[in-house]
Amino acid sequence: MLSGDIFDIQKIDEDHIGVYISDVVGHGVTASIMTMFIRQTMERVMKETTSTSETISKLHKSFLDLKLGDENYFTIFYAVINVKEKTITYSNGGHNSIPIVVKELDDKEKDVIFLESSGYPITYLFESVSYEEHQLDILKGDKIIFFTDGIIECKNMHGELFGTDRLVEVIKESNENLLENIDNKLEEFRYEGVEDDFAVLKLDIL
């Protein structure tokens, strides 16, 4: 099975780790080839700077050099974790599935924070674009959930979307096996076959 969803984690230097998740439009061979381009290009540009906005801008410029059709585009959410300062800096290239930071509270409840940020997808429609860059403090024990829209857009027999609220509910209810619990809830919810690729990545801050 060929998928248009991709994520990767890369050590930039002693203090910084880069992580991204991306969703290529469509399925099959073309989408798979696009994921290869993303992986190879990000491996290169992630090493050149710790600025998330600059990294996505470089990815966009490399994409324009491919000179593909207008129907080819993708979204990406890229973050850099500073393991020394305990911060996460992030930029959004049109990715509508906003990553979630999960914080354990003193009363064993969980607080969720969305890494809100806006930005254009990587597409030929825009020749020159800039991206916002935001930062959040993180602590030991925090979890960061990256995912693609195949999760929140999964439909049941009534045409209802799984949605962000259900995903947050699963996250808050899960003390262990979070990824397995998300997968199980999707299996219970969805109607007939899978309509879209989906991916989910969990990072634990140690």
Side-chain angles (χ1 to χ4, degrees):
M1 181 182 295
L2 299 177
S3 171
D5 289 357
I6 181 177
F7 57 77
D8 199 9
I9 303 170
Q10 181 171 308
K11 183 177 181 180
I12 300 173
D13 57 36
E14 290 302 315
D15 295 332
H16 299 90
I17 295 173
V19 55
Y20 67 85
I21 190 162
S22 179
D23 190 354
V24 178
V25 64
H27 309 272
V29 175
T30 302
S32 181
I33 291 174
M34 289 287 288
T35 62
M36 292 172 59
F37 159 78
I38 295 167
R39 182 180 295 276
Q40 292 173 353
T41 305
M42 287 297 286
E43 282 184 355
R44 173 174 56 83
V45 298
M46 286 167 70
K47 296 176 181 178
E48 297 175 355
T49 177
T50 57
S51 167
T52 55
S53 58
E54 186 177 343
T55 298
I56 297 184
S57 294
K58 288 183 176 183
L59 175 66
H60 180 259
K61 185 178 184 302
S62 295
F63 176 74
L64 294 180
D65 293 339
L66 293 178
K67 301 186 184 302
L68 300 176
D70 293 342
E71 71 279 6
N72 296 297
Y73 65 92
F74 60 91
T75 68
I76 186 169
F77 192 101
Y78 177 52
V80 171
I81 297 172
N82 186 320
V83 296
K84 183 178 180 180
E85 302 294 335
K86 287 292 191 293
T87 60
I88 180 169
T89 305
Y90 54 94
S91 297
N92 189 352
H95 199 68
N96 67 350
S97 303
I98 306 302
I100 301 170
V101 176
V102 185
K103 290 182 173 290
E104 299 280 352
L105 302 180
D106 292 338
D107 54 3
K108 296 187 178 179
E109 294 291 319
K110 295 183 179 69
D111 186 26
V112 297
I113 300 171
F114 288 88
L115 298 181
E116 296 282 359
S117 181
S118 60
Y120 292 109
I122 310 300
T123 170
Y124 286 98
L125 296 178
F126 313 106
E127 289 189 6
S128 179
V129 292
S130 59
Y131 293 92
E132 299 176 359
E133 191 167 302
H134 301 273
Q135 189 175 90
L136 177 73
D137 292 333
I138 51 178
L139 299 171
K140 179 180 178 180
D142 289 352
K143 296 176 176 58
I144 307 173
I145 314 299
F146 295 78
F147 57 99
T148 56
D149 61 11
I151 292 179
I152 57 176
E153 294 178 1
C154 177
K155 294 180 180 180
N156 65 11
M157 63 183 300
H158 304 294
E160 298 173 325
L161 298 178
F162 188 77
T164 305
D165 289 344
R166 286 187 177 88
L167 177 59
V168 169
E169 185 179 341
V170 177
I171 290 172
K172 287 187 173 182
E173 291 177 350
S174 300
N175 294 319
E176 297 179 346
N177 305 319
L178 174 58
L179 300 185
E180 183 179 341
N181 291 341
I182 292 174
D183 189 40
N184 290 338
K185 288 293 184 180
L186 286 173
E187 287 290 338
E188 294 173 5
F189 182 85
R190 71 184 178 196
Y191 181 65
E192 295 183 345
V194 178
E195 296 181 357
D196 193 7
D197 307 325
F198 69 83
V200 59
L201 169 68
K202 177 173 71 74
L203 300 183
D204 292 296
I205 306 303
L206 305 177

